[in-house]
Structures are given as C-alpha cells and as structure tokens.
Amino acid sequence: MIDLRSDTFTRPTKRMRLAMAEAEVGDDVWGEDPTVRELEEETAALLGKEAALYVTSGHMANQLGLWVSTRSGEEVWAHENHHLIGDEQGAAVVLSRVLPRLYSGDPFPARELLDGWITGLGDVHRADPALLWLENTFSGRVVPLAEQRRITGFAHAHGLKAHLDGARLWNAAAHLEVEPAVVAEGFDTVSVCFSKGLGAPVGSAVAGDADTIRRARRGRKLLGGGMRQAGVIAAGALYALRHHRERMVEDHERATRLAELLSELSGLEAVARTNMVLVTTPGGEAGRYVEAFAAQGVRALGGGDRVRMVVSLEITDSDIEDAAKAAAKAVAEL
Ligand SMILES: Cc1ncc(COP(=O)(O)O)c(C=O)c1O
C-alpha cells in the first residue's frame, strides 16, 4: 500500500529512534528536561524568535497562540478553511471565546477586505479585532513573502497581532529557499509541527517573544499539557529538525512528478503545491476515485471534486511511478 493520505503518517526512522532511546531527560514541567530545552531553543533560533514551547500537537500550539493574543469576545480574522476554524473542534470559541471573522475564496485576505473590516473600529456595536491569522503552507500553497509583509504590516499598523499556523512552515521555507525565520518574520506568534513533513512521531511548538511564551507555558499547564520526561519524544523532533528539513525539496519534486503523471489520465487535473498534489475529479466524485485508488493500493483523501495526495519522508521515486500506474488502472476501470 502506498499511503498518500497525509504527511502525518510518517514513522520515525531507525536513526531517529536511536536518538530518542539515548535522549537525556528530566522533568519538563519543572523545566528540567535538557532535550526539550534544546529543542525549544533551537526552534526559537530557527524561527528568529526569543522563545519557543514544545507542545503535544499543532492544535495545541495554535490554541495557545490564539489564547495569548486575545481576550474573550475579541475577533480573530481567518480564512474559513484554516485549520483553526474547520479542524480544531471549535476550540477557538470554546477555550478563548473569540469571535471568528472569516473570509473565503482568495487564499489571502485582500487589501480591500482588510480595509473594509477595519472601518468602523471602535464602534460600540462591534467586537474589537485582536488577531490576524495566516496559514503557511495553506493546502500546500506557499504565502508569497510580499503578501506576508503586507498582511502582517496591516495587522500591526492597526493594533492587531498576527499569528502564523506554520504546521508546514518548513515546506514553505524549503520551497522559497529561505531560512525559516524569513517565513516567520512579522508574526507575533508562530506554531510549527515536527510531526508532519519532518517525520517526528510527536509534537509541535509555539514561538514568540519571551513573555508571550511564558504565558503560553502557563496556558499549556492549564490545559493539562505539561509533560514529564518529554525529552524522549523531543529527541525525535530535534533529530527531524536537524536532518529532515533540507530533504523536503525532494518531496516537492516528487509531488510535481506525481501531478504530471496524474494529469495525463483521462478526466483528471492535478496540480502540485509543495508536498501536496490536488487532483480535480469529474462530477464531484472524489470519493469514488479515492475508493478506486485504494483498491489498486494507493491511499488518498478526498471530498467533493478534490482528491488530495501528500508526499513525505517514506515515499520514494518508485512509489510515485507505482502510484501513478495504480491510478491509471483505477481510472481505466471506473
Ligand atoms: C495547517 C494545520 N495546522 C494545524 C494542524 C494540527 O496539527 P496536529 O494534528 O498536530 O494537532 C494541522 C494538522 O494536520 C494542519 O494541517
């Protein structure tokens, strides 16, 4: 089976497991786990921020980023398809009790939209806007640096903070051929995942200035997210950070190859965006295609007219060729 459902399905490599087995550990709730500290310091440095906090998941990193920059009843501005909105069980509303103001369509908030939303600020009827949210990559799409500057600049000019859901920030940096700090620039808080394309088994981080991360650390404990000898898992994340960032371009090249091969199949249009291949199927029948691909040994995710295939660490060049052949067989038999 070639599993292209998500980059979260990667399993730790042998060397990563070895690093985990040999990790020096301590009680991280007391700030005494040297491996967790090393991971937090290295992550903060890579992102150009003062501090970072290791947490269990991207979901928790996002929620802490939201929690430290908003008060109950304030607005967070986001896209309706951001993970924060559709994939975190409404935690933004439950935990931080904020009001999401959502745009749709365009992947990034247009100048006119932002100008419109900022008009009437201070009107007694309105909730106060507190935070502008971006995701990079967003469904594999990289935020152009000029857009990043425009949007974070707008936020700060109007007294909002900016958060980046950088679950796949490493892919964006690899694609743009820049340091991760460039992709994190202008954001007050940034969440990153070690457990996606980097291939670590567990964990994410939220980064920002020292005082913000001190508050995030308190928030993590409030949520019951304090971990004890977490160095065992942090060592996997540290290994991934040191050894798997640069190879991500290979995933992007393989995704491009897969999209080319799939586009040759009757009725399918495929585009590659960093490590994701998005396939448009005829007649809103993505579900049928996903089933047909699975019957030929290729796992993908799909809904509506869109099948998503994600390339990551365990996928080889020959997997790409085999996946395309299997898809061709599936399409021929549909
Ligand atoms: C863009 C984005 N943000 C956040 C998350 C949440 O990460 P986790 O699954 O570690 O909670 C995901 C997970 O797929 C994601 O795709």
Side-chain angles (χ1 to χ4, degrees):
M1 195 57 96
I2 302 169
D3 200 338
L4 299 172
R5 284 175 297 170
S6 175
D7 46 12
T8 58
F9 286 88
T10 49
R11 292 158 297 184
T13 62
K14 270 206 181 114
R15 286 189 178 173
M16 192 185 283
R17 285 174 191 264
L18 201 63
M20 294 169 75
E22 290 175 348
E24 256 189 80
V25 297
D27 189 328
D28 181 52
V29 173
W30 291 77
E32 291 180 14
D33 189 300
T35 309
V36 173
R37 280 189 175 183
E38 209 177 335
L39 172 66
E40 290 177 342
E41 281 163 18
E42 210 159 305
T43 303
L46 275 172
L47 296 174
K49 305 292 179 203
E50 284 177 6
L53 176 74
Y54 185 49
V55 296
T56 54
S57 64
H59 177 137
M60 189 184 274
N62 275 345
Q63 291 303 324
L64 288 173
L66 178 68
W67 191 68
V68 293
S69 289
T70 55
R71 287 180 304 186
S72 169
E74 291 182 327
E75 284 181 359
V76 55
W77 295 359
H79 190 284
E80 64 172 355
N81 293 334
H82 279 166
H83 196 275
L84 174 77
I85 302 303
D87 299 291
E88 296 183 15
Q89 276 196 16
V93 176
V94 176
L95 301 175
S96 291
R97 296 180 293 160
V98 291
L99 177 66
R101 182 181 277 262
L102 304 178
Y103 59 97
S104 53
D106 289 351
F108 316 120
R111 193 179 303 269
E112 304 72 47
L113 175 105
L114 292 176
D115 284 343
W117 281 5
I118 214 74
T119 316
L121 209 69
D123 180 329
V124 72
H125 301 92
R126 264 193 70 176
D128 283 330
L131 184 63
L132 210 154
W133 197 269
L134 273 193
E135 205 173 289
N136 198 5
T137 65
F138 181 31
S139 295
R141 190 193 294 261
V142 175
V143 180
L145 289 173
E147 287 290 75
Q148 176 181 328
R149 278 186 216 113
R150 173 180 70 79
I151 296 162
T152 55
F154 179 94
H156 293 146
H158 293 91
L160 280 80
K161 295 236 157 102
H163 175 90
L164 178 66
D165 176 348
R168 295 184 179 81
L169 173 147
W170 316 113
N171 294 88
H175 174 85
L176 293 168
E177 297 182 7
V178 298
E179 291 301 319
V182 174
V183 183
E185 208 174 302
F187 293 96
D188 300 278
T189 49
V190 177
S191 53
V192 288
C193 291
F194 307 112
S195 58
K196 306 214 158 52
L198 286 184
V202 189
S204 295
V206 57
D209 69 38
D211 182 58
T212 301
I213 297 309
R214 186 191 58 75
R215 287 186 290 120
R217 192 176 294 279
R218 286 190 60 77
R220 183 184 71 173
K221 190 75 177 80
L222 181 73
L223 294 173
M227 298 181 281
R228 300 296 178 180
Q229 285 70 35
V232 173
I233 48 174
L238 201 50
Y239 184 92
L241 204 55
R242 288 177 182 166
H243 300 280
H244 291 169
R245 274 191 304 120
E246 280 170 16
R247 60 153 304 287
M248 280 183 150
V249 287
E250 293 173 27
D251 296 338
H252 303 171
E253 283 161 11
R254 291 191 179 109
T256 302
R257 170 76 181 146
L258 182 60
E260 278 165 13
L261 293 170
L262 294 176
S263 286
E264 287 168 10
L265 303 182
S266 150
L268 298 187
E269 275 175 41
V271 288
R273 292 194 193 132
T274 55
N275 66 335
M276 300 197 184
V277 179
L278 304 166
V279 190
T280 307
T281 59
E285 293 198 295
R288 262 186 78 214
Y289 279 83
V290 168
E291 276 175 30
F293 293 160
Q296 297 299 333
V298 177
R299 283 176 146 175
L301 289 181
D305 64 355
R306 174 72 60 93
V307 174
R308 186 188 86 161
M309 295 176 170
V310 187
V311 177
S312 56
L313 200 59
E314 292 187 34
I315 304 300
T316 62
D317 286 335
S318 62
D319 286 335
I320 296 294
E321 303 300 320
D322 292 349
K325 278 184 208 140
K329 212 163 164 222
V331 169
E333 287 174 12
L334 264 174

